[in-house]
Amino acid sequence: MPLEAGLLEILACPACHAPLREVSAAGTGADADTDVDAEDGTAELACTGGGCGLAYPIRDGIPVLLVDEARRPA
């Protein structure tokens, strides 16, 4: 179940304060698939900031916006 659009509009990266967008956990960046199922743990929120790029997991439909839990870009 994707996150509500209204929620995505107000969420920001805790590290750099850039907007976040929902992507599949397998990919990040501009080419990532945005049609994901957050309930089975295959989604995350990726930072759109150019120098940051952290990806925050979505667990049980809840975004985990902790820098320590974020995946660093490869």
Side-chain angles (χ1 to χ4, degrees):
M1 174 168 73
L3 294 176
E4 293 181 21
L7 178 60
L8 281 175
E9 288 179 18
I10 61 171
L11 291 179
C13 175
C16 71
H17 308 290
L20 296 170
R21 67 184 194 112
E22 192 171 9
V23 297
S24 68
T28 59
D31 297 330
D33 180 19
T34 56
D35 185 20
V36 295
D37 184 2
E39 283 192 31
D40 71 10
T42 61
E44 58 191 10
L45 295 177
C47 177
T48 59
C52 181
L54 291 174
Y56 300 92
I58 299 174
R59 295 187 186 130
D60 297 322
I62 301 169
V64 181
L65 298 178
L66 300 172
V67 175
D68 292 341
E69 295 285 326
R71 186 173 55 81
R72 300 252 177 229

